[in-house]
Amino acid sequence: MYKIGELASAANVSKRTIDYYTKLGLLQAKRSPSNYRYYSEEALEDLKFIENCKKLHMPLDEIRKKIELVKSQHVEEEEMLDQAKVIAKHLEHLNQELSGFMPIVEKLDDDQKRLLSTQLSNQSMSLIQSLLVLLI
């Protein structure tokens, strides 16, 4: 169990951020008899998940839905289709970014292109493997 300051350090966020997420219901805390808030290991994982989603510019309401979906015992077909639409939207956005990036890549020399290819290949393979798991 973590106190708020310990959780903030472990996740590299501010205590204020944790307070905000707790008030929004994104994080759950247990109260001690002396009214201290304690957060579980699950809260740390949720916090890391939230921060990763924020890096992808997801709104907090969408992040809440993702957390609820992951934690639910039963998934409704409509929820699953909604999440698939969100993923498709993100992939479309990435495709647009790549289209704008290609003219820059064409200006690189061969060594720079190899370095870029190596960097993108590792990340792309992880994404492809994740998508295959979802689709199989």
Side-chain angles (χ1 to χ4, degrees):
M1 296 296 272
Y2 299 92
K3 289 183 181 178
I4 190 169
E6 296 167 338
L7 183 65
S9 293
N12 199 29
V13 298
S14 69
K15 290 192 270 185
R16 191 171 175 188
T17 297
I18 294 170
D19 279 336
Y20 182 62
Y21 293 160
T22 302
K23 286 178 185 167
L24 291 177
L26 293 170
L27 292 175
Q28 304 301 316
K30 298 206 183 316
R31 292 278 182 177
S32 71
S34 56
N35 210 26
Y36 284 105
R37 282 180 288 171
Y38 285 96
Y39 294 88
S40 66
E41 193 68 35
E42 183 180 359
L44 176 59
E45 294 305 316
D46 289 346
L47 185 53
K48 289 178 181 179
F49 179 79
I50 293 165
E51 290 302 304
N52 284 332
C53 289
K54 283 184 59 187
K55 287 177 186 174
L56 298 172
H57 307 288
M58 287 185 200
L60 290 175
D61 189 48
E62 186 177 317
I63 295 169
R64 175 185 289 107
K65 288 176 186 175
K66 284 187 177 298
I67 290 171
E68 289 170 358
L69 195 58
V70 167
K71 291 182 179 189
S72 70
Q73 298 298 319
H74 178 73
V75 178
E76 296 293 329
E77 184 176 341
E78 185 177 333
E79 291 172 329
M80 181 189 66
L81 292 174
D82 287 346
Q83 288 302 309
K85 287 177 187 175
V86 169
I87 291 169
K89 186 176 175 180
H90 287 296
L91 288 172
E92 183 181 322
H93 178 74
L94 285 173
N95 193 33
Q96 290 172 352
E97 284 189 43
L98 283 173
S99 295
F101 187 59
M102 289 311 295
I104 298 167
V105 172
E106 291 171 2
K107 296 177 185 178
L108 300 176
D109 64 36
D110 288 341
D111 288 337
Q112 291 171 320
K113 285 180 183 177
R114 262 191 298 283
L115 179 64
L116 180 63
S117 174
T118 302
Q119 183 68 29
L120 289 176
S121 294
N122 293 336
Q123 294 170 352
S124 298
M125 286 308 295
S126 295
L127 175 61
I128 290 167
Q129 289 171 345
S130 296
L131 288 172
L132 285 174
V133 166
L134 288 173
L135 297 174
I136 293 177

Short mmCIF file of all heavy atoms in Angstrom, two decimals, residues 49 62-84 87:
data_model
loop_
_atom_site.label_atom_id
_atom_site.label_comp_id
_atom_site.label_asym_id
_atom_site.label_seq_id
_atom_site.Cartn_x
_atom_site.Cartn_y
_atom_site.Cartn_z
N PHE A 49 -1.33 3.56 -16.37
CA PHE A 49 -2.20 3.42 -17.54
C PHE A 49 -2.78 4.78 -17.93
O PHE A 49 -2.79 5.15 -19.11
CB PHE A 49 -3.32 2.41 -17.25
CG PHE A 49 -4.27 2.21 -18.38
CD1 PHE A 49 -3.94 1.42 -19.46
CD2 PHE A 49 -5.52 2.83 -18.36
CE1 PHE A 49 -4.82 1.23 -20.51
CE2 PHE A 49 -6.41 2.65 -19.40
CZ PHE A 49 -6.05 1.85 -20.48
N GLU A 62 -12.76 9.07 -21.79
CA GLU A 62 -12.41 7.88 -22.56
C GLU A 62 -11.50 6.96 -21.74
O GLU A 62 -11.65 5.73 -21.77
CB GLU A 62 -11.70 8.30 -23.86
CG GLU A 62 -11.42 7.17 -24.81
CD GLU A 62 -10.79 7.68 -26.09
OE1 GLU A 62 -11.23 8.71 -26.64
OE2 GLU A 62 -9.84 7.02 -26.55
N ILE A 63 -10.58 7.54 -20.99
CA ILE A 63 -9.69 6.76 -20.14
C ILE A 63 -10.51 6.03 -19.07
O ILE A 63 -10.27 4.85 -18.80
CB ILE A 63 -8.62 7.66 -19.49
CG1 ILE A 63 -7.70 8.24 -20.57
CG2 ILE A 63 -7.82 6.88 -18.44
CD1 ILE A 63 -6.76 9.33 -20.08
N ARG A 64 -11.49 6.71 -18.50
CA ARG A 64 -12.35 6.08 -17.49
C ARG A 64 -13.05 4.86 -18.08
O ARG A 64 -13.11 3.79 -17.48
CB ARG A 64 -13.39 7.06 -16.96
CG ARG A 64 -14.38 6.39 -16.00
CD ARG A 64 -15.52 7.28 -15.53
NE ARG A 64 -15.02 8.29 -14.62
CZ ARG A 64 -14.88 9.59 -14.91
NH1 ARG A 64 -15.22 10.04 -16.10
NH2 ARG A 64 -14.43 10.45 -14.03
N LYS A 65 -13.58 5.01 -19.30
CA LYS A 65 -14.27 3.90 -19.95
C LYS A 65 -13.32 2.72 -20.17
O LYS A 65 -13.72 1.57 -19.99
CB LYS A 65 -14.87 4.36 -21.28
CG LYS A 65 -16.06 5.26 -21.14
CD LYS A 65 -16.55 5.74 -22.48
CE LYS A 65 -17.65 6.77 -22.33
NZ LYS A 65 -18.05 7.34 -23.62
N LYS A 66 -12.09 3.02 -20.56
CA LYS A 66 -11.11 1.95 -20.78
C LYS A 66 -10.81 1.22 -19.48
O LYS A 66 -10.75 -0.01 -19.46
CB LYS A 66 -9.83 2.51 -21.38
CG LYS A 66 -9.92 2.86 -22.83
CD LYS A 66 -8.57 3.25 -23.37
CE LYS A 66 -8.63 3.53 -24.84
NZ LYS A 66 -9.02 2.40 -25.65
N ILE A 67 -10.64 1.96 -18.41
CA ILE A 67 -10.36 1.33 -17.11
C ILE A 67 -11.54 0.45 -16.69
O ILE A 67 -11.35 -0.68 -16.25
CB ILE A 67 -10.05 2.40 -16.04
CG1 ILE A 67 -8.69 3.05 -16.33
CG2 ILE A 67 -10.06 1.78 -14.64
CD1 ILE A 67 -8.38 4.25 -15.46
N GLU A 68 -12.74 0.98 -16.83
CA GLU A 68 -13.94 0.20 -16.46
C GLU A 68 -14.05 -1.05 -17.31
O GLU A 68 -14.40 -2.13 -16.81
CB GLU A 68 -15.19 1.07 -16.61
CG GLU A 68 -15.30 2.15 -15.56
CD GLU A 68 -16.42 3.16 -15.85
OE1 GLU A 68 -17.11 3.04 -16.89
OE2 GLU A 68 -16.59 4.07 -15.02
N LEU A 69 -13.75 -0.93 -18.59
CA LEU A 69 -13.84 -2.07 -19.49
C LEU A 69 -12.83 -3.15 -19.11
O LEU A 69 -13.16 -4.33 -19.08
CB LEU A 69 -13.61 -1.60 -20.93
CG LEU A 69 -13.98 -2.54 -22.05
CD1 LEU A 69 -15.44 -2.93 -21.98
CD2 LEU A 69 -13.68 -1.90 -23.39
N VAL A 70 -11.61 -2.74 -18.80
CA VAL A 70 -10.57 -3.69 -18.42
C VAL A 70 -10.93 -4.41 -17.12
O VAL A 70 -10.71 -5.60 -16.97
CB VAL A 70 -9.20 -2.97 -18.28
CG1 VAL A 70 -8.18 -3.85 -17.59
CG2 VAL A 70 -8.69 -2.55 -19.65
N LYS A 71 -11.54 -3.69 -16.19
CA LYS A 71 -11.84 -4.26 -14.88
C LYS A 71 -13.17 -5.01 -14.83
O LYS A 71 -13.42 -5.74 -13.88
CB LYS A 71 -11.84 -3.16 -13.82
CG LYS A 71 -10.46 -2.61 -13.57
CD LYS A 71 -10.47 -1.58 -12.49
CE LYS A 71 -9.06 -1.08 -12.24
NZ LYS A 71 -8.97 -0.23 -11.09
N SER A 72 -14.00 -4.84 -15.84
CA SER A 72 -15.32 -5.49 -15.80
C SER A 72 -15.20 -6.98 -16.04
O SER A 72 -14.29 -7.45 -16.73
CB SER A 72 -16.26 -4.86 -16.81
OG SER A 72 -15.87 -5.19 -18.12
N GLN A 73 -16.10 -7.72 -15.46
CA GLN A 73 -16.12 -9.17 -15.62
C GLN A 73 -16.81 -9.58 -16.92
O GLN A 73 -16.57 -10.65 -17.45
CB GLN A 73 -16.86 -9.82 -14.43
CG GLN A 73 -16.20 -9.56 -13.09
CD GLN A 73 -14.80 -10.15 -13.04
OE1 GLN A 73 -14.57 -11.24 -13.51
NE2 GLN A 73 -13.87 -9.40 -12.47
N HIS A 74 -17.68 -8.72 -17.41
CA HIS A 74 -18.45 -9.02 -18.61
C HIS A 74 -18.38 -7.81 -19.54
O HIS A 74 -18.55 -6.68 -19.11
CB HIS A 74 -19.91 -9.31 -18.24
CG HIS A 74 -20.77 -9.57 -19.42
ND1 HIS A 74 -20.70 -10.72 -20.15
CD2 HIS A 74 -21.73 -8.81 -20.01
CE1 HIS A 74 -21.58 -10.67 -21.14
NE2 HIS A 74 -22.21 -9.52 -21.07
N VAL A 75 -18.12 -8.07 -20.81
CA VAL A 75 -18.01 -6.99 -21.77
C VAL A 75 -19.20 -7.05 -22.72
O VAL A 75 -19.47 -8.09 -23.33
CB VAL A 75 -16.70 -7.10 -22.58
CG1 VAL A 75 -16.61 -5.99 -23.61
CG2 VAL A 75 -15.50 -7.07 -21.66
N GLU A 76 -19.89 -5.95 -22.82
CA GLU A 76 -21.02 -5.85 -23.75
C GLU A 76 -20.48 -5.63 -25.16
O GLU A 76 -19.47 -4.97 -25.35
CB GLU A 76 -21.93 -4.67 -23.36
CG GLU A 76 -22.60 -4.82 -22.01
CD GLU A 76 -23.62 -5.95 -21.99
OE1 GLU A 76 -24.25 -6.22 -23.02
OE2 GLU A 76 -23.77 -6.55 -20.91
N GLU A 77 -21.18 -6.16 -26.13
CA GLU A 77 -20.76 -6.04 -27.53
C GLU A 77 -20.65 -4.58 -27.94
O GLU A 77 -19.71 -4.18 -28.63
CB GLU A 77 -21.73 -6.78 -28.43
CG GLU A 77 -21.30 -6.79 -29.89
CD GLU A 77 -22.23 -7.62 -30.76
OE1 GLU A 77 -22.98 -8.46 -30.23
OE2 GLU A 77 -22.20 -7.42 -31.98
N GLU A 78 -21.59 -3.77 -27.50
CA GLU A 78 -21.59 -2.35 -27.86
C GLU A 78 -20.33 -1.65 -27.33
O GLU A 78 -19.73 -0.84 -28.03
CB GLU A 78 -22.85 -1.67 -27.31
CG GLU A 78 -22.98 -0.23 -27.75
CD GLU A 78 -24.28 0.39 -27.25
OE1 GLU A 78 -25.25 -0.34 -27.03
OE2 GLU A 78 -24.28 1.61 -27.06
N GLU A 79 -19.94 -1.98 -26.10
CA GLU A 79 -18.73 -1.39 -25.53
C GLU A 79 -17.51 -1.80 -26.34
O GLU A 79 -16.61 -1.00 -26.58
CB GLU A 79 -18.55 -1.83 -24.08
CG GLU A 79 -19.57 -1.27 -23.13
CD GLU A 79 -19.47 -1.88 -21.74
OE1 GLU A 79 -19.09 -3.07 -21.63
OE2 GLU A 79 -19.78 -1.19 -20.78
N MET A 80 -17.46 -3.07 -26.72
CA MET A 80 -16.34 -3.57 -27.50
C MET A 80 -16.27 -2.85 -28.84
O MET A 80 -15.20 -2.42 -29.28
CB MET A 80 -16.48 -5.08 -27.72
CG MET A 80 -15.35 -5.68 -28.50
SD MET A 80 -15.68 -7.38 -28.95
CE MET A 80 -17.06 -7.20 -30.05
N LEU A 81 -17.41 -2.67 -29.49
CA LEU A 81 -17.43 -1.98 -30.78
C LEU A 81 -17.03 -0.52 -30.62
O LEU A 81 -16.33 0.04 -31.48
CB LEU A 81 -18.81 -2.10 -31.42
CG LEU A 81 -19.19 -3.51 -31.88
CD1 LEU A 81 -20.63 -3.55 -32.36
CD2 LEU A 81 -18.24 -4.01 -32.95
N ASP A 82 -17.45 0.11 -29.54
CA ASP A 82 -17.06 1.50 -29.27
C ASP A 82 -15.54 1.61 -29.13
O ASP A 82 -14.92 2.52 -29.67
CB ASP A 82 -17.74 2.04 -28.01
CG ASP A 82 -19.21 2.33 -28.20
OD1 ASP A 82 -19.67 2.37 -29.36
OD2 ASP A 82 -19.91 2.50 -27.17
N GLN A 83 -14.95 0.67 -28.40
CA GLN A 83 -13.49 0.69 -28.22
C GLN A 83 -12.78 0.43 -29.54
O GLN A 83 -11.74 1.03 -29.82
CB GLN A 83 -13.06 -0.34 -27.17
CG GLN A 83 -13.42 0.06 -25.76
CD GLN A 83 -12.80 1.39 -25.37
OE1 GLN A 83 -11.61 1.61 -25.51
NE2 GLN A 83 -13.63 2.30 -24.89
N ALA A 84 -13.33 -0.45 -30.37
CA ALA A 84 -12.74 -0.71 -31.68
C ALA A 84 -12.77 0.56 -32.54
O ALA A 84 -11.81 0.85 -33.26
CB ALA A 84 -13.47 -1.85 -32.38
N ILE A 87 -9.99 2.85 -31.35
CA ILE A 87 -8.70 2.38 -31.85
C ILE A 87 -8.55 2.73 -33.33
O ILE A 87 -7.49 3.20 -33.76
CB ILE A 87 -8.54 0.87 -31.61
CG1 ILE A 87 -8.40 0.59 -30.12
CG2 ILE A 87 -7.34 0.31 -32.38
CD1 ILE A 87 -8.50 -0.87 -29.75
#
